[in-house]
Amino acid sequence: SIAADAAANGATLTVHCPGTPPILVGQTFSCTGTAGPGKNYDIEVSLQRSNGWIDWRVDDWGINTLSR
């Protein structure tokens, strides 16, 4: 879903996240997004409840904006 969020913003990322993400709502974890050689971004993600469902939300892309 993180790569899909990036694509909605016009960026293509390959995303790698921890094998075991947090399971409690509100906990955060870091993923690495790669847009090409030398273009790595630390992405801060949290587990949120949204409309009764559990959802991953990007809290910080690691940069001000994604390069397109």
Side-chain angles (χ1 to χ4, degrees):
S1 67
I2 297 166
D5 288 348
N9 289 319
T12 302
L13 290 180
T14 301
V15 179
H16 299 283
C17 295
T20 307
I23 58 171
L24 297 176
V25 172
Q27 287 184 318
T28 62
F29 60 99
S30 294
C31 297
T32 301
T34 303
K39 294 183 179 180
N40 296 322
Y41 307 103
D42 294 325
I43 302 168
E44 188 74 21
V45 181
S46 64
L47 184 63
Q48 298 294 320
R49 183 174 299 277
S50 175
N51 296 325
W53 295 90
I54 299 298
D55 188 27
W56 303 117
R57 183 182 74 198
V58 174
D59 295 323
D60 184 1
W61 288 102
I63 54 172
N64 291 332
T65 58
L66 292 172
S67 301
R68 296 181 184 183

